[in-house]
Amino acid sequence: MKKEFLMGSETIVKGAIAAGAQMMTGYPITPTTEIMEHWAEEAAKNPALKFLQTEDEMSAGFAMIGAILAGVKAFTASAGPGNVLMQDAFSMAENMRLPTVAFIGQRGGPSTGTVIYSQQELNLTCFGGNGEGLRIVYSTAGGQELYDYAIKAFNTAWKYRFPTFVLTDGYQNKTQSSVEIYQPQEKQVEIVSPTPYLLNPQKQEGTFTHIRNTYNLEQELADVLIDYKKHFTEITPEILEFEDYHTLDAEIVIFAHGIVAAAAKLAVDSLRNEGKKVGLFRPITLNPFPKESAINAVTNKKGILITESSLGQFERMVKSNIYPANTPIFTLKKPAVGIMPEEIIEKINQIFSEKGNNA
Amino acid sequence: MPETALPKSWNKESKPHKFCPGCGQALALKILGQAIDELDIQKKMIYATDIGCSLLSWSMFNVDTIQTHHGRTLPLSVGFKKAKPEAIVVSFTGDGGGYAIGAQHLLNTAMRNDPITVILINNANYAMTGGQLAPTTLLNQKTTTAPKGRELAQGKPFKGPEMLAQITSEDAHIARGISTNYQQLLEMYKKAISNQIEGRGFSFVEVIAMCPVNWHTDAQQSLDFAEIEMAKIYPIGELKCPQK
Amino acid sequence: MPTKIILAGEGGQGVQTVAKIIAVTAQRSGKNSSYLPAFGVEQRGGVSLAYLQISSKPITYPRFAKADMVVAFCDRAIPAIKDFLSKDTLFIYDNSVIKNKSLEKIKNLINNYLAMPALALAKEKLSSKVANVVLLGGIIAHLKEIDYQEFEKTLLEEFADKIIKKPEIKDLNLGALKAGIEIAEKFNKEETPFSGIEATEIKTNFSKEKISWQRFPEYCKGCGLCIVRCPTKALQFSRDSGFLGNPMPIVTIEKCIGCGNCMQICPDGAIKVEKST
């Protein structure tokens, strides 16, 4: 086992290389620029790794798609306004079931906002574009997970052929920490091989592939989407991931995702030390959402606390998934601001003393 | 069945194609089919097409094809070429895709001398959406969004090849042809694609094309507008030809 | 209940113009009307549909599943309109364009029909461009609650710009409208069976010593570029139609010099010229 002291962005690049990524496209934007820089450095050393710094995020998204059509494991990284522009390409990837992989470092919004941190790109990443949100989104909590889920994202994308995202933020990307770097085979993780969409040497002689995103008739498009949705639903049980931390005997269950879940975990530990029965439910896949497990986690509880660095994007997602559970819901929401374990502890204590306000 | 007059590389399943009667873009694609045949590259190339009337060509050829989003055909092509340098990449777009919504991509692709071939249709309007003002609309030419005709305040007709000739390296191939001159356009296409095959870099052919439906012209008027009015503003010829 | 009419034809056959004229006229006559054009991404060349409703009450939803009147302009319209047919639907179609083979597919669904040789009549007596107005006449013959004069007025307004340039367009359109109404009023199912045309052989090959000239009706859209490009004026429009119903060019082979200009200018690959040396 090899432990390295790495910045989050560097961990992501090492994970991508371990997953067999061959090409990155991108346009610099804080807090994901270092992903590009580390990749560019690796590509300068290894001619098998390709790199394209494009003129903007639309170009980065579509150049990634071009490379994927050629059968190359390509990825990109972006944030905030860059993520907005890239929805153009992700929408096409959704339409054509292309295995795009994108690392989204959430920063404050709307607009240029702030440059390091938020949890405000949940809606955009899970449901952006003019489509149905047939995307797979992992929300990581920093450190080791950036390596693990970088590997997983490429495998998921190329196995199931839905656009796949790893949702991080500037705290995660910029923090330096100790990470275990391993080869996927050491952990019995099999790497899924890419296959080209165009100029595929395996295809039957004399046949040609025509891929389009425009349909003529309403029903023609509907049939395609219904079929995609069916596949998405079928594979959902294989993809769903969540972390259940002491919810079984908990009276109050905290709902948090990403790095906020790491703060919530500290809060749970501290509260448990005081004998307070608190648990944490953390969806790792935000899309698809671990609905059944979330419902189980909230059933017969005294209350739920939903906390996030946004004004309710995660809250809406949780509520729609646990409906019609009638457990009282409390919230701690801070747009584009980090949430400290102490704040969560305070909020939980308020709820226990029945001073907390219902959301 | 008698032998057809279609290029060998045209996909017969999708014919008759869906372009309007008298469409210059369809004609430009017929000549492109001939160029593909003569260069014998059907199985070594991909064809990437934009949105706008160009989307109607998504199944035009018996060539592996990708239809992209509006203006994004060039970045996709550049990404494909980077990933698979041995493939021949031909990108097809209109004057909206190349000179307006995707202008930044054309500019940067040309500037980087990316080794792809771009064919851009100039029909002086946005045809798919019913004839709106385009960067290439002539002064005084009426469109649905310039009902009194284009005024200088709406900008001068945009000269793409002239701009690209200024910003590209000496290895780039830049030309303007017209879909009504079969032999000349065929040669331009072949030279442009050869520029890519021979590894020199970026190649670009703008093609002046008739749009009778949106111009509201009959056959003779269409030819006159393209060959006389448009050619006056947009001179036909090679602006950069490293093969000379 | 509103009167629901669906019209379908090739893009460029004038389907939308007919629908618009009816909708505007109904509105002016104090009725409520709703007209929704529905076509694919192409401007011309795809099957174009028009949803039309006329009612004495406000119309709130522009679409419907079954129609009181279905109007088919061409063969390719048949699959598109099939689902709109019910046992009470009046099916209006051009029996000089639509082939028996196409009608065979819906025969069992048709109880009430009006067969109109719109294109043949227009070509023979007026101009092929007003075939759609003949069909318009057939439709309005069944819309008795709206005054005929109002239809005439809207029709002339629709073509006002063109009439200024070519005054004869006025009489061509009015003639077509009247002819359409007349066919509809005299129509008798006993005399005119539910049938169309048999696929006819069009002469496609013309040759003389060393030169062979071929045309392909399955590709020809009738744009006329070949005709104006011919240096010896060997080409002209013929009575034969290409797949869109537009007139096709024909060659006077004696005048042909085999230069191939017509073949080169054709965007559709519908002409082939071979010259042996």
Side-chain angles (χ1 to χ4, degrees), chain B residues 2-6 15-23 27 30 55 127-128 130 180 182 213-214 220 223 227, chain C residues 41-44 214 216 218-219 221 223-225 228-229 243-244 246 263-269 271-272:
Chain B
E3 207 188 315
T4 69
L6 311 180
K15 303 296 169 300
H17 54 63
K18 291 182 169 175
F19 291 91
C20 304
C23 175
L27 187 48
K30 191 181 88 169
L55 74 82
M128 170 60 71
T180 58
Y182 188 95
V213 166
N214 290 304
Q220 187 62 55
L223 291 176
E227 294 180 328
Chain C
V41 285
E42 58 277 69
Q43 284 262 304
R44 295 286 186 278
Q214 274 181 63
F216 299 86
E218 66 273 33
Y219 297 137
K221 293 175 180 164
C223 69
L225 283 171
V228 299
R229 212 41 153 191
F243 73 100
L244 291 179
N246 295 341
M263 173 168 70
Q264 291 195 343
I265 202 74
C266 177
D268 302 293
I271 296 177
K272 187 171 186 179

Side-chain angles (χ1 to χ4, degrees), chain B:
Chain B
M1 278 291 284
E3 207 188 315
T4 69
L6 311 180
K8 188 169 76 59
S9 55
W10 262 20
N11 173 13
K12 291 176 187 61
E13 303 283 310
S14 65
K15 303 296 169 300
H17 54 63
K18 291 182 169 175
F19 291 91
C20 304
C23 175
Q25 181 162 163
L27 187 48
L29 286 165
K30 191 181 88 169
I31 302 169
L32 178 60
Q34 187 64 28
I36 293 168
D37 291 353
E38 291 185 16
L39 292 168
D40 193 20
I41 54 172
Q42 213 178 339
K43 292 176 184 168
K44 302 177 210 160
M45 68 174 284
I46 69 154
Y47 173 76
T49 180
D50 214 76
I51 297 302
C53 289
S54 57
L55 74 82
L56 300 175
S57 69
W58 75 276
S59 60
M60 196 82 182
F61 299 104
N62 270 334
V63 160
D64 275 13
T65 299
I66 177 80
Q67 178 204 59
T68 75
H69 279 191
H70 199 19
R72 314 293 166 234
T73 303
L74 270 59
L76 185 144
S77 302
V78 169
F80 192 95
K81 185 73 179 182
K82 182 93 183 171
K84 198 177 172 76
E86 70 274 22
I88 301 159
V89 178
V90 175
S91 294
F92 188 76
T93 179
D95 34 21
Y99 295 158
I101 197 169
Q104 75 276 37
H105 306 312
L106 176 61
L107 191 87
N108 283 278
T109 301
M111 212 167 64
R112 290 187 302 250
N113 199 30
D114 288 327
I116 63 166
T117 300
V118 178
I119 296 167
L120 184 146
I121 297 295
N122 172 0
N123 56 13
N125 79 100
Y126 289 168
M128 170 60 71
T129 44
Q132 293 79 32
L133 182 80
T136 47
T137 299
L138 301 190
L139 288 175
N140 301 319
Q141 183 189 340
K142 284 182 185 174
T143 70
T144 60
T145 51
K148 291 180 181 166
R150 184 180 195 162
E151 295 164 11
L152 209 48
Q154 289 162 304
K156 286 200 288 187
F158 184 74
K159 299 185 173 193
E162 285 77 359
M163 177 198 72
L164 294 174
Q166 292 294 316
I167 62 166
T168 42
S169 85
E170 290 316 304
D171 290 332
H173 178 103
I174 311 286
R176 183 186 284 118
I178 184 161
S179 58
T180 58
N181 190 334
Y182 188 95
Q183 278 308 331
Q184 184 195 48
L185 184 59
L186 179 62
E187 289 310 313
M188 282 179 179
Y189 282 157
K190 283 162 68 182
K191 276 191 189 170
I193 296 170
S194 299
N195 205 53
Q196 177 184 167
I197 295 172
E198 289 157 15
R200 273 187 287 268
F202 182 69
S203 49
F204 181 86
V205 183
E206 181 188 289
V207 185
I208 294 176
M210 306 81 79
C211 182
V213 166
N214 290 304
W215 291 356
H216 307 288
T217 46
D218 64 21
Q220 187 62 55
Q221 292 164 336
S222 299
L223 291 176
D224 289 348
F225 190 76
E227 294 180 328
I228 300 168
E229 298 303 319
M230 285 183 73
K232 224 186 293 173
I233 306 298
Y234 300 118
I236 290 158
E238 284 168 342
L239 286 91
K240 250 185 189 176
C241 184
Q243 282 164 306
K244 258 182 225 163

Side-chain angles (χ1 to χ4, degrees), chain A residues 119-339:
Chain A
Q119 290 192 315
Q120 295 168 297
E121 292 174 54
L122 179 148
N123 286 346
L124 186 61
T125 307
C126 292
F127 309 111
N130 56 340
E132 301 284 350
L134 299 173
R135 304 157 166 218
I136 295 160
V137 180
Y138 294 107
S139 175
T140 55
Q144 185 65 43
E145 284 193 4
L146 295 176
Y147 189 74
D148 299 343
Y149 284 93
I151 295 172
K152 189 170 275 176
F154 286 94
N155 263 358
T156 302
W158 283 92
K159 185 171 178 190
Y160 301 109
R161 308 291 173 113
F162 286 104
T164 302
F165 299 82
V166 178
L167 192 62
T168 74
D169 54 64
Y171 289 175
Q172 299 187 53
N173 289 7
K174 292 199 179 268
T175 302
Q176 301 187 30
S177 65
S178 179
V179 179
E180 181 199 341
I181 299 299
Y182 55 86
Q183 285 309 307
Q185 302 86 310
E186 293 170 33
K187 305 223 169 190
Q188 281 75 50
V189 175
E190 204 183 313
I191 294 298
V192 179
S193 302
T195 46
Y197 286 73
L198 300 178
L199 298 182
N200 184 347
Q202 307 298 322
K203 92 180 158 195
Q204 203 192 326
E205 177 68 20
T207 62
F208 298 92
T209 308
H210 298 101
I211 306 174
R212 61 168 166 165
N213 59 63
T214 316
Y215 295 86
N216 233 11
L217 305 172
E218 288 177 7
Q219 196 55 45
E220 214 178 349
L221 174 62
D223 289 344
V224 171
L225 292 178
I226 289 164
D227 182 52
Y228 284 5
K229 178 73 181 180
K230 190 169 154 265
H231 281 170
F232 195 79
T233 307
E234 277 165 10
I235 64 163
T236 290
E238 295 172 38
I239 291 169
L240 286 181
E241 280 190 45
F242 60 92
E243 192 180 356
D244 184 313
Y245 194 62
H246 300 305
T247 66
L248 195 60
D249 68 340
E251 292 172 25
I252 296 176
V253 174
I254 303 169
F255 272 72
H257 77 96
I259 200 70
V260 175
K265 216 167 176 178
L266 293 175
V268 169
D269 288 343
S270 172
L271 288 159
R272 288 243 163 206
N273 278 341
E274 294 168 26
K276 291 173 179 152
K277 289 185 173 173
V278 179
L280 165 70
F281 186 87
R282 170 201 170 203
I284 296 173
T285 48
L286 293 179
N287 192 14
F289 191 89
K291 187 181 170 76
E292 300 305 322
S293 309
I295 291 172
N296 287 339
V298 304
T299 307
N300 301 323
K301 303 299 182 194
K302 188 176 170 190
I304 306 163
L305 173 65
I306 302 173
T307 181
E308 60 180 309
S309 296
S310 144
L311 278 176
Q313 297 191 25
F314 182 58
E315 179 193 3
R316 188 158 53 217
M317 179 179 263
V318 172
K319 279 181 171 171
S320 71
N321 276 290
I322 63 172
Y323 178 86
N326 54 4
T327 316
I329 293 173
F330 305 86
T331 62
L332 174 60
K333 297 177 285 194
K334 301 179 75 176
V337 174
I339 295 174

